[in-house]
C-alpha cells in the first residue's frame, strides 16, 4: 500500500524527460535510483524535502534535487515536499523559525510594525537574520529527523499489518477447506 499510494501521485520519469524546460536536468531524471519507492528512499526524501523547505533560501527545489541525488532518495518526493512552504505558508513558517531562533539566541522578538513594508524589512534584516537562520536550521533538522523516523515507523507498521491480514486470511481459508472436508 505505501508504494502504491506514492506511485499513484508521482510523475513518470519519461514524461518529465520529454519536457523542454527540464532538459538541463535530464541526466538526473534518467537515474532510476532516484525514482525507487522503498522505505529508505521515501523516508530520506521526506527528510531532504522538509529540511530544504524550512531553509529561507531561494531555489529550494534545486537544493532538494541536489540533496536527493547525494542521499539517493526519491527525487519527486523530495522536490514536491519543498512546496509545504509555498507563498501562502512561508510567512508563518519563517516567523515560527525566527521565534525559535530568538529563543535559542536569548534575544527579544522584534515586533512588526502596523504596516509591514520592504523598507522596514531591509532596515531590520541585520537584526532578524541571525535568529531566522538559526531557527530555520534547528527546525529543519528536527523536522527532518522526526519525518524520517515517522515514515519508517509508519511504513513498517503498514507492512506488518498487511502481513497479519494475509496470515489471517490464509488461516480462514484453511479453516474453510478443513470444514468442507469434515462434512
Amino acid at each position: 500500500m505505501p508504494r502504491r499510494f506514492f506511485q499513484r501521485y508521482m510523475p513518470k520519469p519519461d514524461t518529465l524527460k520529454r519536457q523542454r524546460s527540464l532538459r538541463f536536468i535530464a541526466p538526473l531524471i534518467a537515474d532510476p535510483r532516484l525514482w525507487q519507492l522503498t522505505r529508505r528512499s521515501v523516508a530520506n526524501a521526506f527528510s531532504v524535502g522538509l529540511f530544504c523547505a524550512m531553509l529561507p533560501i531561494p531555489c529550494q527545489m534545486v537544493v532538494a534535487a541536489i540533496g536527493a541525488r547525494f542521499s539517493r532518495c526519491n527525487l519527486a518526493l523530495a522536490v514536491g515536499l519543498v512546496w509545504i512552504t509555498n507563498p501562502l505558508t512561508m510567512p508563518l513558517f519563517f516567523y515560527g523559525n525566527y521565534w525559535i531562533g530568538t529563543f535559542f539566541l536569548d534575544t527579544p522578538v522584534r515586533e512588526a510594525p502596523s504596516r509591514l513594508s520592504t523598507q522596514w524589512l531591509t532596515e531590520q534584516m541585520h537584526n532578524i537574520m541571525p535568529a531566522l537562520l538559526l531557527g530555520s536550521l534547528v527546525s529543519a533538522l528536527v523536522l527532518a529527523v522526526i519525518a524520517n523516523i515517522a515514515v519508517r515507523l509508519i511504513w513498517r507498521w503498514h507492512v506488518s499489518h498487511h502481513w497479519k491480514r494475509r496470515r489471517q486470511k490464509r488461516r480462514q481459508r484453511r479453516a474453510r477447506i478443513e470444514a468442507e472436508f469434515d462434512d
Side-chain angles (χ1 to χ4, degrees):
M1 154 65 185
R3 187 172 288 127
R4 282 187 228 140
F5 173 78
F6 287 117
Q7 282 175 341
R8 188 178 318 149
Y9 298 106
M10 279 186 35
K12 303 291 183 240
D14 297 332
T15 308
L16 294 176
K17 279 190 253 181
R18 286 182 292 208
Q19 289 189 2
R20 280 186 168 163
S21 62
L22 298 176
R23 266 196 203 141
F24 70 99
I25 59 169
L28 182 66
I29 294 172
D31 189 357
R33 293 176 299 175
L34 298 178
W35 295 92
Q36 292 178 346
L37 286 170
T38 62
R39 180 174 53 189
R40 182 186 152 282
S41 69
V42 171
N44 290 347
F46 268 78
S47 291
V48 169
L50 293 176
F51 181 85
C52 292
M54 290 295 115
L55 299 179
I57 58 173
C59 304
Q60 293 171 325
M61 292 172 61
V62 174
V63 175
I66 293 168
R69 172 79 168 145
F70 284 117
S71 65
R72 290 193 208 132
C73 64
N74 190 284
L75 176 69
L77 281 173
V79 171
L81 283 166
V82 168
W83 280 95
I84 286 177
T85 53
N86 57 57
L88 293 175
T89 62
M90 198 176 289
L92 296 171
F93 279 107
F94 290 161
Y95 179 74
N97 292 347
Y98 168 69
W99 187 83
I100 291 169
T102 59
F103 174 77
F104 279 108
L105 291 176
D106 197 27
T107 58
V109 176
R110 296 206 177 268
E111 295 295 324
S114 58
R115 294 190 63 171
L116 191 62
S117 66
T118 55
Q119 179 186 359
W120 178 85
L121 194 60
T122 54
E123 289 172 357
Q124 297 298 320
M125 190 57 73
H126 69 280
N127 295 326
I128 294 171
M129 195 51 79
L132 177 63
L133 291 176
L134 179 64
S136 295
L137 282 175
V138 168
S139 64
L141 285 171
V142 169
L143 192 59
V145 169
I146 289 172
N148 194 302
I149 292 169
V151 167
R152 288 175 190 259
L153 289 175
I154 291 168
W155 194 291
R156 185 180 196 122
W157 172 84
H158 187 273
V159 169
S160 172
H161 182 70
H162 185 70
W163 285 349
K164 287 177 186 175
R165 278 193 306 163
R166 187 187 311 174
R167 198 176 316 127
Q168 189 177 30
K169 285 180 182 179
R170 195 176 301 138
R171 286 180 187 153
Q172 289 172 352
R173 199 176 320 127
R174 283 184 192 155
R176 241 188 346 257
I177 292 171
E178 288 175 4
E180 288 175 9
F181 281 123
D182 289 342
D183 291 338

